[in-house]
Amino acid sequence: MNHDFATPVERRHPKGGDWPSQKWHHYGDGVLPLWVADMDFTSPPEVVEALRARVDHGVFGYGLVPDSLRHTLCAWSAAHYGWTIEPEWQLWLPGVVPALHLASLALTEPGDGVLTVTPIYPPFLKVAERTGRLPQQAALCEPASPGEPWRLDLEALEAAITPETRLLLWCQPHNPTGRVWTQEELAGLAELVERHGLLVVSDELHCDLLLDEGAQHRPLAAAFPELASRILTLWAPSKTFNLAGLTTACAVIPDAGLRRRFAAMVRGLQPDGNVLGLVAAEAAYAHGDPWRRALLGVLRGHRRTLVERVARWPGVAMSPPESTYLAWLDLRQAHGLAGHDGSPKQVLLERAGVALSEGAGFGWPGFVRLNFGTTASQLGAALDRLDRVLRG
């Protein structure tokens, strides 16, 4: 089947309805949005058909997680990650961000330290404060030269660990840098986790969008089975299959005790499963892989385009992302972006009419995150606008 990733989908003023979109309605009509992490592609046709059939049923009462979904995720994990998981390890949830907060409440006590590595997806930086815990951070190693990858700084990570540290919020592949961590980096991380007795929430939301040919994701709990009793793994179809609005994710927790603690905290603090989201998740994992593989080809092409454009922009640096559809741009030395309290995002919004994500929210001012999960024509139009500002 041929999948159409080239025809723009009207999301701001669609015919036949008004469906407000965070991405497209937050800014005015003249702005091209390359910020929040959803894509401008229709989801796999098998998912749309499954949703249509469920809507035709017409009754949307409280649902249950079907056994077929649990077994489908088990099959996906075995086929794509080489990790055999069990149906009873799965707790289905209304999203990864709620899961981060619930994990802090369930697995730590007030005053315990919650550690993360910056730059990082902004909700990570709010978890400790929102749950009455101690926020702790360590910084990644910046690229030694333009185009080189960001790296995990194990010395900085260990220096940030204190007697209060109890929970590590981890992200692999990494948002926003797009890093796919090496086995050496992960082995060092695992040693620290074990030696300091930490628990880990591993957000692996972008794991099905590895951009390098032949790359295969290996979950942290699978790579280091001796740590599986310490790790809560978070997956979702939301980024891979463009289903974020259906608010469905899964926590995979092999350890029964850890699973009971998490499940007990979840009760009353989240709604029951989204009946349409569960249908979409099962259809995506069961039938969406051909669409995903076609998408990867498109995203690889967009990455090449972005690398070529960034090379034209004096003072702008980017490490080509190894995963997902998000690029992390260093604009601290870019020409012509002074003002607005050092916010390059605001300058580019006003001068280029392109909306990007502000780096300060990720813990690193002077950077922006760019979402290239859109059609080639829309991406090209946005990059042309940025060219006019960033080429000096």
Side-chain angles (χ1 to χ4, degrees):
M1 177 183 293
N2 292 324
H3 300 289
D4 184 1
F5 296 100
T7 304
V9 177
E10 178 56 66
R11 300 185 64 189
R12 188 173 269 137
H13 303 294
K15 293 181 179 179
D18 183 15
W19 300 294
S21 154
Q22 287 188 33
K23 183 178 184 181
W24 283 88
H25 287 82
H26 186 76
Y27 298 99
D29 283 0
V31 172
L32 294 177
L34 302 183
W35 64 295
V36 69
D38 77 18
M39 295 185 286
D40 293 318
F41 307 127
T42 56
S43 294
E46 296 87 352
V47 172
V48 176
E49 287 302 315
L51 287 169
R52 185 174 290 117
R54 182 63 183 85
V55 168
D56 286 345
H57 181 263
V59 179
F60 307 105
Y62 297 116
L64 288 173
V65 178
D67 289 340
S68 55
L69 172 55
R70 297 182 188 277
H71 288 290
T72 296
L73 188 62
C74 289
W76 182 274
S77 179
H80 292 269
Y81 318 139
W83 188 26
T84 300
I85 65 171
E86 302 297 332
E88 60 268 21
W89 295 359
Q90 302 172 31
L91 293 175
W92 286 84
L93 308 160
V96 165
V97 172
L100 296 173
H101 292 76
L102 290 166
S104 179
L105 291 170
L107 307 180
T108 68
E109 299 295 332
D112 282 349
V114 176
L115 174 63
T116 194
V117 177
T118 65
I120 192 64
Y121 178 51
F124 276 58
L125 298 175
K126 301 292 186 181
V127 169
E129 177 185 352
R130 288 172 175 166
T131 57
R133 274 56 174 172
L134 176 66
Q136 299 177 316
Q137 299 173 20
L140 295 176
C141 285
E142 291 191 53
S145 60
E148 292 190 6
W150 291 72
R151 298 199 179 278
L152 178 61
D153 187 337
L154 290 169
E155 291 184 2
L157 185 61
E158 182 155 33
I161 297 172
T162 70
E164 291 77 29
T165 310
R166 182 61 179 152
L167 181 65
L168 172 66
L169 301 181
W170 179 243
C171 188
Q172 74 168 72
H174 187 253
N175 176 7
T177 68
R179 270 303 313 279
V180 175
W181 306 111
T182 66
Q183 180 64 23
E184 182 181 6
E185 288 171 308
L186 293 176
L189 177 77
E191 192 276 329
L192 284 182
V193 166
E194 187 166 31
R195 179 152 51 85
H196 291 279
L198 304 183
L199 298 172
V200 182
V201 176
S202 185
D203 171 0
E204 303 184 6
L205 195 59
H206 299 273
C207 67
D208 295 314
L209 294 177
L210 306 191
L211 296 179
D212 294 342
E213 295 280 358
Q216 182 181 34
H217 177 66
R218 187 69 170 157
L220 188 66
F224 303 96
E226 67 276 13
L227 298 183
S229 63
R230 298 182 177 276
I231 299 175
L232 185 158
T233 302
L234 298 176
W235 293 335
S238 54
K239 302 305 179 190
T240 308
F241 301 104
N242 209 28
L243 300 172
L246 292 176
T247 58
T248 300
C250 186
V252 179
I253 314 175
D255 184 76
L258 206 63
R259 193 164 61 247
R260 282 193 296 270
R261 289 169 63 185
F262 186 78
M265 180 55 65
V266 162
R267 296 189 190 102
L269 293 182
Q270 67 166 24
D272 291 329
N274 180 327
V275 293
L276 295 181
L278 294 172
V279 167
E282 183 170 353
Y285 286 126
H287 307 294
D289 201 44
W291 182 94
R292 181 190 71 93
R293 291 197 301 269
L295 169 68
L296 286 173
V298 173
L299 296 181
R300 289 177 185 125
H302 288 2
R303 179 177 63 174
R304 287 192 296 271
T305 297
L306 188 57
V307 168
E308 292 168 359
R309 289 298 188 104
V310 171
R312 304 177 186 176
W313 299 340
V316 180
M318 180 190 75
S319 298
E322 300 164 338
S323 65
T324 200
Y325 48 87
L326 304 170
W328 185 238
L329 277 62
D330 182 356
L331 301 182
R332 291 173 296 180
Q333 303 301 318
H335 299 303
L337 295 188
H340 298 285
D341 298 320
S343 169
K345 174 254 185 181
Q346 189 63 29
V347 176
L348 293 173
L349 178 64
E350 295 183 7
R351 297 184 186 172
V354 177
L356 306 172
S357 295
E358 173 62 66
F362 297 77
W364 284 63
F367 288 74
V368 293
R369 192 188 70 177
L370 184 152
N371 173 356
F372 57 91
T374 189
T375 64
S377 61
Q378 289 169 308
L379 178 63
L383 294 179
D384 286 346
R385 293 186 181 192
L386 293 173
D387 258 344
R388 291 194 286 270
V389 176
L390 294 173
R391 291 188 75 172

